[in-house]
Amino acid sequence: MNDSLALSLAPDVARAARGDHAAFARVVDVTRNTVAAIALAIVRDVELSHDVAQDVYLHAWRDLRRLREPTSFLPWLRQLARNRAHHALRPMCAIVAASTAQATVSWRRPL
């Protein structure tokens, strides 16, 4: 996504920040492939990447009023996508760590 796209999105981003649902829907339509690609690259699971993308847009809608410069929306959204994807992996990392710890404990038990 380039500077011209950021500039073309800026009016809809500004409207969405004021609560315009239709403007936000247009922004989602333009950026959804980028958000999904970022999420998929991190979580490496198609279904989970869709969940992450939905989570990204929920957070974006909620926090959009805090964005000071509408032309900064794309970098902000991409970083939000990365953060939410990593957040989605945390429960899985904890499960893997717990399983690994349990396996280590089991392996060390005398017969």
Side-chain angles (χ1 to χ4, degrees):
M1 294 193 179
N2 55 32
D3 290 338
S4 63
L5 180 57
L7 291 173
S8 69
L9 280 175
D12 278 333
V13 170
R15 284 189 211 62
R18 293 189 300 269
D20 185 330
H21 292 260
F24 189 71
R26 289 189 295 274
V27 170
V28 170
D29 286 342
V30 172
T31 61
R32 96 178 46 200
N33 289 339
T34 298
V35 169
I38 290 168
L40 183 58
I42 294 169
V43 301
R44 303 216 182 269
D45 179 274
V46 174
E47 287 184 37
L48 183 56
S49 71
H50 291 290
D51 292 343
V52 168
Q54 184 175 9
D55 188 45
V56 167
Y57 287 114
L58 287 172
H59 277 79
W61 174 254
R62 184 193 69 199
D63 296 339
L64 193 55
R65 288 178 277 295
R66 291 193 225 164
L67 185 66
R68 292 187 185 135
E69 183 56 49
T71 56
S72 298
F73 176 76
L74 292 173
W76 177 75
L77 185 69
R78 288 191 295 261
Q79 187 60 46
L80 182 59
R82 286 188 287 272
N83 291 345
R84 299 314 303 164
H86 287 294
H87 181 78
L89 291 177
R90 285 184 190 147
M92 285 184 248
C93 290
I95 291 168
V96 169
S99 297
T100 302
Q102 183 60 37
T104 302
V105 169
S106 298
W107 181 78
R108 291 182 179 173
R109 285 189 189 146
L111 294 174

